[in-house]
Amino acid sequence: MTGNTAPASPAPPASSLDPAIAARLKRSADGLVPAIAQQYDTGEVLMLGWMDDEALHRTLTTGRCTYWSRSRREYWVKGDTSGHVQHVKSVALDCDADTLLVKVDQVGAACHTGDRTCFDADVLPLGQ
């Protein structure tokens, strides 16, 4: 090694996500895809979370929603601390491959505030 040659950067860890699915995803600059959680039987929109390849892999293989917390910079399984579990019924990729729709059976509140959904508290007025 010569004095001006920098060592190679370590490769990112290999993803456990099926390569065929990973190849289709269009991620944000930080490697994330928005994931909309919807109650499977009523169509109620519960929340929006973020998934990277590993979170999606865990969601698909465990049947529990796993998200990437942008604020804590770690994975979290919905309900592990609150008991408000999301049991996955199906996962779909939208037509642009940049958003996931995760149909779940929500146990308890979906929102960290304790509300059923993250969209209950602040309905904006129309026509003003």
Side-chain angles (χ1 to χ4, degrees), residues 27-33 50 52 68 70 73:
R27 300 161 194 80
S28 66
D30 52 1
L32 300 173
V33 177
W50 296 91
D52 65 2
W68 174 254
R70 295 176 301 161
R73 305 200 49 77

Side-chain angles (χ1 to χ4, degrees), residues 47 49-50 58 65-70 72 74-80 110:
M47 61 173 279
W50 296 91
R58 292 178 188 188
C65 279
T66 300
Y67 298 100
W68 174 254
S69 171
R70 295 176 301 161
R72 294 189 310 261
E74 65 185 14
Y75 295 105
W76 58 279
V77 179
K78 183 69 175 166
D80 270 2

Side-chain angles (χ1 to χ4, degrees), residues 7-71:
S9 299
S15 171
S16 302
L17 184 63
D18 179 331
I21 296 171
R24 295 175 58 199
L25 291 176
K26 292 181 185 165
R27 300 161 194 80
S28 66
D30 52 1
L32 300 173
V33 177
I36 301 164
Q38 180 182 39
Q39 179 64 33
Y40 82 100
D41 54 353
T42 66
E44 180 180 29
V45 177
L46 301 169
M47 61 173 279
L48 176 112
W50 296 91
M51 293 185 182
D52 65 2
D53 288 20
E54 183 60 22
L56 178 56
H57 167 72
R58 292 178 188 188
T59 297
L60 292 170
T61 57
T62 67
R64 297 266 314 275
C65 279
T66 300
Y67 298 100
W68 174 254
S69 171
R70 295 176 301 161
S71 59

Side-chain angles (χ1 to χ4, degrees), residues 1-2 4-12:
M1 191 176 198
T2 64
N4 292 343
T5 305
S9 299

